[in-house]
Amino acid sequence: MSLSTACAVSTETTAPTFDLDTAWGLHPQVSIRPERFGALMYHFGTRRLSFLKNPTLLKVVDSLDSHPSARAACFEAGIPADQLPSYIAALAMLASTTMIRPR
């Protein structure tokens, strides 16, 4: 399953960075609607729509506010260490589009 979110195509050659040990949370203007494939996220401030194409990523995003760090949320979701880089990239994309933000 793909972890990517639907976002505008970027010409950046470097991957966005993401601090896994920071406390993150859903932006207050973002709404999540669970779907069979994962979820739809809508930011009412930017009017951006993103797709979470993985139920595990949805579990991580949903639990960010209740964990001391994104790493703790990933651990609780049962993400194996070898798959963590994919989730970090997906979280970085969500952070770069202000769907999630540091708490």
Side-chain angles (χ1 to χ4, degrees), residues 13-58:
T13 56
T14 60
T17 60
F18 184 79
D19 185 359
L20 202 56
D21 295 312
T22 294
W24 290 86
L26 197 62
H27 190 284
Q29 290 185 309
V30 171
S31 177
I32 299 177
R33 186 174 87 189
E35 295 287 345
R36 184 172 38 102
F37 58 81
L40 294 172
M41 294 180 75
Y42 183 75
H43 194 301
F44 288 93
T46 64
R47 300 176 66 188
R48 180 180 293 266
L49 179 67
S50 292
F51 297 88
L52 300 182
K53 298 177 183 179
N54 181 297
T56 304
L57 180 58
L58 171 59

Side-chain angles (χ1 to χ4, degrees), residues 3-5 7 16-22 24-26 41 52 56-64 69-75 77 79 83-102:
L3 297 179
S4 64
T5 57
C7 297
T17 60
F18 184 79
D19 185 359
L20 202 56
D21 295 312
T22 294
W24 290 86
L26 197 62
M41 294 180 75
L52 300 182
T56 304
L57 180 58
L58 171 59
K59 187 175 179 180
V60 170
V61 171
D62 267 343
S63 68
L64 285 173
S69 68
R71 184 180 306 278
C74 290
F75 178 77
I79 297 170
Q83 293 180 16
L84 198 54
S86 296
Y87 286 88
I88 292 170
L91 290 168
M93 182 60 67
L94 292 173
S96 73
T97 58
T98 66
M99 292 292 187
I100 61 173
R101 66 180 186 172

